[in-house]
Amino acid sequence: MAKKKKQTAEPSESTVPVNEGTGALPPERFTGLKKKKPKQNTAGAPAVQVALGHVRKYMAPGDAAKVMFRLNQKGGIDCPGCAWPDPDDDRSKLGEYCENGIKAIAEEAQKKMIGRGFFAQHSVAELQQWLDFELGKAGRLAEPLVLEAGATHYQPISWEDAFQLIAEELRQIASPDEAVFYTSGRTSNEAAFLYQLFVREFGTNNLPDCSNMCHEASGKAMNATLGTGKGTVTLADFYESDLIVILGQNPGTNHPRMLSALERCKENGGKIIAINPLKEAGLLRFSNPQRPAKMLGKGTALADLFLQVRINGDIPLLKAIMSLMLYDERTKPGSAFDMEFITQYTEGYEAFVTDLLTYDFNNLAEASGVPRKDIKQAVEMIKKADKMIVCWAMGLTQHTNGVDNVREIVNLLLLKGAIGKPGAGACPVRGHSNVQGDRTMGIWESPKPEFLDKLQEVFGFNPPRKHGYSTVDAIQAMHKEKAKVFFGMGGNFLSASPDTEFTADALRKCRLTVHVSTKLNRSHLIHGRRALILPCLGRTDRDLQSSGEQLVSTESSSSVVQMSKGVLPPISSNLRSEPAIVAGLAKAVLGNRSMVDWDAMVSNYDHIRDAIEKTIPGFDSYNKRVREPGGFMLPNPARNRSFPTASGKAHFSIAPLPENLVAPGQYVLMSIRSHDQFNTTVYGLDDRYRGIYNERRVVLLNPEDMRREDIAEGQKIHLISEYQGVTRTASHFLALGYDIPAGCAAAYFPEANVLIPVDAHDPESKTPASKFILIRIEKAG
């Protein structure tokens, strides 16, 4: 049993909470900030030491050895961290993982277990005052738990009773549309397909997922312009690219295995342009732990050019680049654009050029915050590159103009003819390990009619046609009591969502909240009238069903589908796999009216994959191909310069400049992750690459802004967001001077999520504007 004494230091002047709050946010407790100079290099020996430290501290030695030798190997365990693809060629037998991948494994496969004794000792109110880091390290959940109306402590419940409780609540709602079924990107293909099958047979398309909050903008923009919502490159393309442009992404922390691909590109003569408000170490230099000479030396320099753009200055920057390219193309035809590609494969070029000519280069450069000489250098690098890849992440998508940001990236790629040839293409770098696969499996609130038609043909029921709730729609519906049951398949919904206190109120208004989880998180502590926690197997756990040991599959950012098979015995005999949980729930809720043989599906996952093959294009011979070493790649027409748009061509777009209206005294805040964090999971309290240790309640500010505001280093301040008449406050943050553009600020999520208005989002994708939060600063008393 985990004791709180092991989770946090004894209360002292630095650790006593300043404000206990409502429990929806981590307590305002300072843990002892230490600041050092930011790193200029990533990985290397320090990453190995930190990773092994997590393994020694949280895992049993035998378990660690089993997992590390199988992680990301062909036929092994797919890392539950990011979705970066695995090498197609030989893989390191020991080190085919990164520091944060090992942190994820140490978190999932930790040796501690929590069950009825732990929850009898610790009330929900007490646990609300634990840091997110402490909650995650409490141990693996060991048995199903229920919190009845008015109760203060979770108590054990049998699986059968839990399923009946859910069925009882679902039977009492007036319509299936009064239930919300959320999905985390960790869920396997097999679990995701069964989950959406159950939800649609139940009668709703309310299937929001974590993609709504990250790359939904990418999917919207790319589907409209290229006819596909997925990236168009393979891992091999990175190796032979002439130029890789990275926008709004911090690969050293969020996708560390990408650094190996960037290293290989550089060694093959390629160049890199990095565009970001923060000069992240992962954009500058990489010491490859798999190569001792690199690890012990200076490593590989990455970015040849770093453009420090203002927050949301990407469209002005891209327009400035393309306007100079247009001038050069008109002066010397063929020097900047691939007109043969443009003529044969695209439409809308003339309208795009006409619009581009209305902008003044100097005004665009000023709006971007990037010096004109640096923009001109970028233009020369782009002109010289025959093969160019553009990568981006949430620094581009989490804006009210997120879809337009991605459209502008596509415009640049089309001008260069950088789609559908080796070493070139679009690469939205996904976060969670199967977020792309979940969407392929049908986890989507806005399914295409063709998918629903196929479900009806294969399974014999008529799925609902009305589109369901996205994540922000679901939060609003729960808040208005139009949705009364929330079911979360993995993830930490509360902490991942915008407008934390509003989201918490929405969850509290539900009749029932249910979470399928491997470990404790804050979403379990902010609950409806009744609440359930259903503990599931993790990726590292062996999955035994009636026909024997099972495998699952996932899809990477490059559309490679491969198997994953756990190697560790489950920490408790009372855990169930996600497919088994869905099957048990479906039988309890749907009963005899179901057209699906749920027992057969879950007895052998080959049956699930057979059903996927019948339903979803590209999965021919699924069971055979998924067992082949390295798996298989799904079709992507854009890779072959086939664009399944209405016209059959790729589309240029006209994206307006974002207004970016900032009043005097306001700053633009963006949410960021620390290096000891993956999504909402906090592995520790250090942000090593940025030189910030043992503290998360910090805000990074431009030093000149701090001097002007008379704010001292480490001074306590309040961050205040005002949007459409509503004031939101994040109290007691420590101000730190950092290399960030003037007028900009950065703070970690989920702590900063309280400042993000739920209704501030892209109008098309409904992705929250987590990277553009207008705030003002007040000094704490």
Side-chain angles (χ1 to χ4, degrees):
M1 182 191 306
K3 297 181 180 179
K4 187 174 180 182
K5 183 177 180 181
K6 295 182 180 180
Q7 303 303 318
T8 183
E10 290 294 331
S12 66
E13 185 176 351
S14 63
T15 60
V16 173
V18 178
N19 180 3
E20 292 188 354
T22 64
L25 291 159
E28 295 174 9
R29 184 198 311 161
F30 297 112
T31 48
L33 169 69
K34 297 178 182 178
K35 187 181 178 187
K36 299 181 181 179
K37 187 177 179 181
K39 305 293 184 185
Q40 300 297 308
N41 197 357
T42 49
V48 174
Q49 293 168 357
V50 170
L52 292 178
H54 276 256
V55 166
R56 287 193 298 267
K57 187 171 184 179
Y58 299 113
M59 296 181 71
D63 289 350
K66 286 181 185 178
V67 171
M68 292 170 73
F69 279 108
R70 299 299 297 154
L71 190 60
N72 292 324
Q73 299 295 335
K74 295 177 181 179
I77 306 166
D78 186 55
C79 178
C82 78
W84 189 252
D86 299 316
D88 296 322
D89 50 12
D90 292 337
R91 303 180 187 181
S92 167
K93 297 299 182 185
L94 177 62
E96 199 54 63
Y97 45 79
C98 67
E99 172 191 344
N100 278 359
I102 288 299
K103 290 176 182 175
I105 290 297
E107 181 97 355
E108 178 178 291
Q110 56 186 298
K111 56 193 174 186
K112 290 192 298 183
M113 178 174 65
I114 56 175
R116 61 190 67 193
F118 174 90
F119 289 97
Q121 180 179 353
H122 301 292
S123 69
V124 170
E126 178 193 348
L127 291 171
Q128 287 175 350
Q129 299 311 312
W130 289 24
L131 297 175
D132 292 343
F133 164 66
E134 296 164 346
L135 293 172
K137 296 302 184 187
R140 281 287 297 273
L141 293 161
E143 58 185 331
L145 299 158
V146 63
L147 186 72
E148 290 289 1
T152 58
H153 293 66
Y154 275 100
Q155 295 181 329
I157 186 174
S158 71
W159 279 103
E160 291 70 22
D161 287 347
F163 291 143
Q164 288 303 320
L165 188 157
I166 299 169
E168 170 191 322
E169 291 286 356
L170 289 176
R171 281 194 289 266
Q172 291 185 30
I173 59 179
S175 161
D177 289 332
E178 290 186 355
V180 170
F181 298 90
Y182 175 77
T183 312
S184 159
R186 187 187 64 84
T187 305
S188 69
N189 283 350
E190 291 74 12
F193 184 80
L194 276 197
Y195 188 47
Q196 65 82 29
L197 186 63
F198 155 65
V199 171
R200 292 193 164 104
E201 192 174 19
F202 174 63
T204 185
N205 282 313
N206 286 346
L207 281 159
D209 72 329
C210 59
S211 182
N212 295 153
M213 294 183 281
C214 56
H215 271 290
E216 195 71 51
S218 299
K220 289 285 185 183
M222 293 176 67
N223 268 307
T225 56
L226 301 177
T228 177
K230 300 181 180 182
T232 68
V233 296
T234 67
L235 189 57
D237 288 322
F238 280 81
Y239 307 155
E240 57 181 297
S241 183
D242 297 327
L243 177 66
I244 299 173
V245 182
I246 304 170
L247 298 100
Q249 185 196 356
N250 178 14
T253 289
N254 301 333
H255 312 92
R257 294 174 68 220
M258 180 180 176
L259 299 176
S260 298
L262 299 180
E263 175 190 52
R264 195 157 166 181
C265 171
K266 291 301 298 287
E267 291 178 345
N268 290 339
K271 302 289 185 181
I272 296 174
I273 298 174
I275 302 170
N276 202 53
L278 296 177
K279 188 179 287 188
E280 305 285 15
L283 300 170
L284 304 179
R285 186 173 289 272
F286 171 53
S287 293
N288 193 336
Q290 295 178 349
R291 303 169 66 182
K294 291 283 187 180
M295 183 171 69
L296 299 175
K298 293 183 178 180
T300 301
L302 297 179
D304 298 276
L305 177 65
F306 175 71
L307 305 180
Q308 190 168 32
V309 68
R310 287 197 185 106
I311 295 174
N312 207 25
D314 304 279
I315 287 181
L317 176 59
L318 290 167
K319 285 188 184 296
I321 289 171
M322 291 186 291
S323 67
L324 289 185
M325 291 173 65
L326 175 60
Y327 176 84
D328 290 347
E329 179 66 22
R330 289 189 158 190
T331 303
K332 184 180 179 181
S335 64
F337 294 173
D338 185 341
M339 290 306 303
E340 182 179 349
F341 173 88
I342 291 169
T343 301
Q344 184 174 353
Y345 293 104
T346 76
E347 67 176 15
Y349 171 75
E350 292 79 9
F352 165 77
V353 167
T354 299
D355 179 74
L356 189 58
L357 288 170
T358 65
Y359 294 97
D360 176 76
F361 170 76
N362 292 322
N363 291 339
L364 292 170
E366 174 64 26
S368 74
V370 177
R372 286 175 290 180
K373 65 178 180 59
D374 292 343
I375 298 175
K376 292 176 181 179
Q377 184 179 349
V379 168
E380 291 305 311
M381 293 173 69
I382 292 170
K383 285 168 55 181
K384 291 176 183 177
D386 178 56
K387 298 175 289 186
M388 179 177 72
I389 293 172
V390 180
C391 307
W392 69 93
M394 287 180 284
L396 270 288
T397 63
Q398 290 184 328
H399 292 275
T400 56
N401 53 283
V403 173
D404 281 341
N405 282 339
V406 179
R407 285 185 176 126
E408 206 73 292
I409 288 172
V410 174
N411 286 337
L412 176 61
L413 289 166
L414 295 181
L415 290 176
K416 288 290 297 176
I419 298 283
K421 63 181 180 181
C427 182
V429 185
R430 309 283 178 178
H432 223 155
S433 60
N434 199 41
V435 63
Q436 185 163 303
D438 289 348
R439 179 59 57 88
T440 302
M441 293 296 106
I443 300 295
W444 195 12
E445 76 280 2
S446 306
K448 293 182 178 180
E450 298 85 357
F451 176 78
L452 299 177
D453 291 343
K454 204 65 181 178
L455 280 183
Q456 184 171 3
E457 176 188 324
V458 173
F459 294 100
F461 69 89
N462 186 18
R465 302 286 164 156
K466 185 180 77 170
H467 285 179
Y469 295 135
S470 68
T471 294
V472 295
D473 290 333
I475 295 169
Q476 296 275 21
M478 289 187 288
H479 202 272
K480 295 174 182 176
E481 299 185 58
K482 292 182 178 180
K484 299 173 182 177
V485 174
F486 175 88
F487 190 103
M489 180 60 73
N492 181 354
F493 183 80
L494 171 70
S495 297
S497 297
D499 215 339
T500 310
E501 294 291 3
F502 186 91
T503 300
D505 287 344
L507 291 168
R508 291 187 185 105
K509 291 181 178 182
C510 289
R511 292 175 55 90
L512 173 68
T513 50
V514 185
H515 296 277
V516 177
S517 305
T518 57
K519 53 191 176 56
L520 194 60
N521 66 54
R522 194 160 299 277
S523 291
H524 304 142
L525 311 176
I526 303 298
H527 51 81
R529 187 176 63 87
R530 305 167 87 184
L532 286 167
I533 304 174
L534 305 180
C536 66
L537 299 176
R539 288 269 178 87
T540 56
D541 297 325
R542 296 179 65 201
D543 184 351
L544 292 173
Q545 301 298 333
S546 60
S547 68
E549 193 167 353
Q550 305 298 310
L551 63 91
V552 295
S553 57
T554 59
E555 180 184 343
S556 73
S557 279
S558 61
S559 302
V560 173
V561 177
Q562 63 181 358
M563 64 174 284
S564 180
K565 195 171 185 180
V567 296
L568 301 180
I571 198 167
S572 165
S573 61
N574 217 354
L575 305 184
R576 291 195 182 184
S577 72
E578 288 177 324
I581 292 172
V582 173
L585 177 61
K587 290 194 297 179
V589 173
L590 302 175
N592 294 332
R593 73 180 177 92
S594 178
M595 306 293 287
V596 180
D597 188 341
W598 298 100
D599 288 330
M601 287 283 197
V602 82
S603 69
N604 186 331
Y605 297 173
D606 280 358
H607 298 153
I608 305 176
R609 287 183 285 272
D610 286 339
I612 293 170
E613 179 180 339
K614 294 175 183 177
T615 308
I616 302 174
F619 285 86
D620 305 318
S621 304
Y622 192 179
N623 277 307
K624 177 179 181 293
R625 291 196 293 160
V626 79
R627 288 175 166 87
E628 294 172 355
F632 62 95
M633 185 172 291
L634 292 173
N636 189 314
R639 287 194 183 120
N640 301 313
R641 295 192 165 177
S642 175
F643 302 105
T645 61
S647 67
K649 292 189 174 186
H651 295 177
F652 280 93
S653 308
I654 297 176
L657 286 180
E659 291 186 332
N660 291 348
L661 299 177
V662 183
Q666 286 185 324
Y667 294 85
V668 180
L669 176 79
M670 64 178 181
S671 64
I672 58 175
R673 299 179 191 170
S674 83
H675 190 62
D676 262 359
Q677 174 180 2
F678 182 74
N679 292 344
T680 58
T681 302
V682 178
Y683 303 129
L685 301 178
D686 295 341
D687 194 0
R688 188 173 78 251
Y689 293 155
R690 297 190 183 109
I692 301 167
Y693 294 83
N694 203 44
E695 186 59 76
R696 290 184 55 83
R697 297 196 70 80
V698 298
V699 57
L700 310 184
L701 297 170
N702 179 280
E704 289 298 323
D705 289 338
M706 291 178 64
R707 280 190 280 273
R708 188 178 64 255
E709 297 276 3
D710 192 27
I711 296 173
E713 183 77 2
Q715 185 170 345
K716 296 174 185 176
I717 60 175
H718 304 317
L719 311 178
I720 301 167
S721 161
E722 295 169 337
Y723 184 80
Q724 295 184 353
V726 179
T727 299
R728 299 166 175 85
T729 303
S731 302
H732 299 101
F733 277 65
L734 303 179
L736 300 182
Y738 204 83
D739 184 5
I740 189 171
C744 298
Y748 302 130
F749 78 86
E751 289 85 348
N753 285 4
V754 68
L755 297 169
I756 306 168
V758 69
D759 43 2
H761 54 72
D762 184 281
E764 293 184 61
S765 68
K766 298 188 178 179
T767 304
S770 304
K771 296 296 185 284
F772 194 94
I773 313 162
L774 291 176
I775 63 165
R776 57 182 174 85
I777 294 171
E778 287 186 359
K779 298 175 184 177

